[in-house]
């Protein structure tokens, strides 16, 4: 089954609520309309109510079933509760006045709706840079217990093939402990998208065929990841061909349950991860879906500022599928 058809079946009728801070953008309210009409997501748009309604009417876009919130006219009692909750969450790092100013930013406002369980997830970034989406998520939603750093993953899909590539978006040069976290979180991401996780820790070395600090980091990360998630098939360090090609895997890493059969590829640092997914996308004609932010207490997704309405629609579906 196509990835998105499977995800649609998983979330349809579940009433999962996704807040879109950039509600006045045509790409956002158009995608929200599709999601609502298909019963996939209950969207919340942030923005000026009249402005959104008038724009949608001109485009003949149905906003039925979509909640629109204008942060400027949010009920005072609810706004005060939000201020109090954020002051408490920041634990003395921001004054009341600073928090009030922060909540004038739609990304902080939307993130607080998730934190206060008035929305299940958030999708932003069509207008704002990545930092504007990620910063409030890290400050307010924060990482899951046992996870110190968030990471970014892509689902790579081509016909019946489906893989996870990570970290391809966030951590420039992760140490061994962070790399192990990325591996375990990527395995969880794979399960969400119906991919059986067989996790490989990639290197230019296979089982000690080369030496050096970069190889040692991946070796240590492999051990840590195996200790953190003994129920998951994790192996390394492996070169890409040993991870992907069964004959090569059997030759270079005999006895490995991952070699030649990997589905989750953990790159040693961001540079190789970013290059790797783009090579697969451009030369291998894989669809690169993401990035998916891993490790947060609640799902938050960052759109590209060049995202199309179709991208917004798909990212919202993927984000809703991560709600637990």
């Amino acid at each position: 089954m196509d990835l998105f058809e499977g995800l649609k079946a998983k979330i349809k009728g579940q009433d999962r609520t996704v807040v879109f801070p950039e509600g006045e953008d045509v790409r956002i309210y158009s995608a929200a309309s599709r999601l609502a009409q298909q019963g996939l997501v209950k969207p919340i748009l942030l923005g000026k109510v009249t402005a959104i309604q008038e724009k949608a009417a001109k485009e003949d876009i149905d906003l039925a079933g979509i909640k629109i919130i204008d942060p400027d006219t949010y009920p005072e009692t609810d706004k005060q509760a939000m201020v109090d909750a954020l002051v408490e969450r920041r634990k003395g790092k921001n004054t009341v006045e600073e928090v009030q100013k922060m909540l004038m930013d739609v990304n902080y406002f939307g993130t607080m709706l998730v934190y206060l369980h008035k929305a299940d997830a958030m999708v932003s970034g069509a207008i704002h840079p990545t930092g504007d989406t990620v910063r409030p998520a890290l400050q307010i939603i924060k990482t899951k217990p046992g996870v110190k750093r968030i990471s970014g993953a892509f689902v790579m899909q081509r016909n019946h093939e489906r893989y996870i590539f990570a970290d391809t978006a966030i951590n420039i040069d992760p140490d061994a402990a962070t790399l192990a976290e990325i591996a375990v979180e990527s395995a969880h991401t794979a399960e969400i998208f119906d991919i059986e996780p067989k996790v490989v820790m990639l290197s230019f070395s296979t089982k000690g065929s080369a030496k050096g600090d970069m190889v040692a980091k991946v070796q240590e990360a492999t051990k840590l990841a195996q200790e953190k998630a003994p129920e998951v098939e994790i192996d390394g360090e492996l070169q890409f061909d040993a991870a992907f090609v069964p004959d090569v895997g059997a030759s270079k890493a005999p006895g490995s349950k991952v070699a030649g059969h990997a589905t989750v590829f953990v790159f040693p640092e961001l540079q190789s991860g970013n290059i790797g997914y783009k090579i697969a996308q451009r030369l291998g004609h894989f669809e690169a879906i993401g990035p998916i932010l891993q490790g947060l207490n609640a799902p938050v997704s960052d759109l590209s500022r060049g995202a199309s309405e179709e991208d917004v629609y798909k990212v919202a579906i993927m984000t809703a599928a991560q709600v637990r």
Side-chain angles (χ1 to χ4, degrees), residues 121-285:
M122 186 176 90
V123 173
S124 190
I127 300 171
H128 299 87
T130 295
D132 288 1
T133 301
V134 173
R135 192 178 305 107
L138 287 174
Q139 291 178 347
I140 300 168
I141 294 174
K142 301 190 178 182
T143 55
K144 295 188 293 189
V147 177
K148 294 182 179 179
R149 300 289 293 272
I150 65 167
S151 56
F154 274 85
V155 178
M156 307 299 294
Q157 178 174 260
R158 182 179 67 184
N159 301 324
H160 66 282
E161 296 177 84
R162 198 178 300 167
Y163 308 104
I164 299 292
F165 281 18
D167 180 357
T168 48
I170 302 294
N171 296 285
I172 294 175
D173 188 15
D175 60 16
T178 302
L179 207 55
E181 281 187 358
I182 292 168
V184 175
E185 288 304 307
S186 298
H188 296 328
T189 297
E191 291 171 342
I192 291 169
F193 298 112
D194 296 324
I195 300 170
E196 181 183 0
K198 290 183 178 294
V199 182
V200 60
M201 312 297 284
L202 291 172
S203 174
F204 64 88
S205 168
T206 294
K207 299 297 182 179
S209 65
K211 306 295 183 183
D213 291 344
M214 289 184 287
V215 175
K217 180 181 80 168
V218 178
Q219 291 171 337
E220 182 184 354
T222 301
K223 292 177 183 178
L224 292 173
Q226 291 168 337
E227 291 170 1
K228 288 172 70 72
E231 74 284 1
V232 179
E233 296 290 350
I234 302 172
D235 201 6
E237 85 286 10
L238 296 175
Q239 292 161 288
F240 188 87
D241 58 349
F244 190 72
V245 183
D247 289 347
V248 178
S251 173
K252 290 188 173 184
S256 172
K257 294 181 180 180
V258 174
H261 304 284
T263 58
V264 178
F265 297 85
V266 179
F267 292 82
E269 31 67 36
L270 180 60
Q271 181 168 241
S272 59
N274 187 272
I275 292 169
Y277 99 79
K278 289 183 177 179
I279 288 174
Q281 180 185 36
R282 301 302 180 180
L283 293 183
H285 305 293

Side-chain angles (χ1 to χ4, degrees), residues 23-33 45 55-56 59 61 63:
E24 294 184 33
D25 188 287
V26 62
R27 296 167 293 172
I28 302 299
Y29 59 74
S30 296
S33 176
L45 302 178
K55 288 180 180 180
E59 299 283 346
I61 294 171
L63 296 182

Side-chain angles (χ1 to χ4, degrees), residues 86-87 90-99 102 139:
L86 184 50
V87 169
R90 295 295 292 151
K91 298 186 182 301
K93 293 179 180 178
N94 295 104
T95 65
V96 170
E97 291 75 18
E98 289 171 337
V99 163
M102 289 162 69
Q139 291 178 347

Side-chain angles (χ1 to χ4, degrees), residues 31-52:
S33 176
R34 288 174 64 191
L35 293 162
Q37 295 305 310
Q38 294 172 13
L40 300 173
V41 162
K42 295 177 70 176
I44 299 174
L45 302 178
L46 300 187
K48 301 295 183 184
V49 177
T50 302
I52 295 172

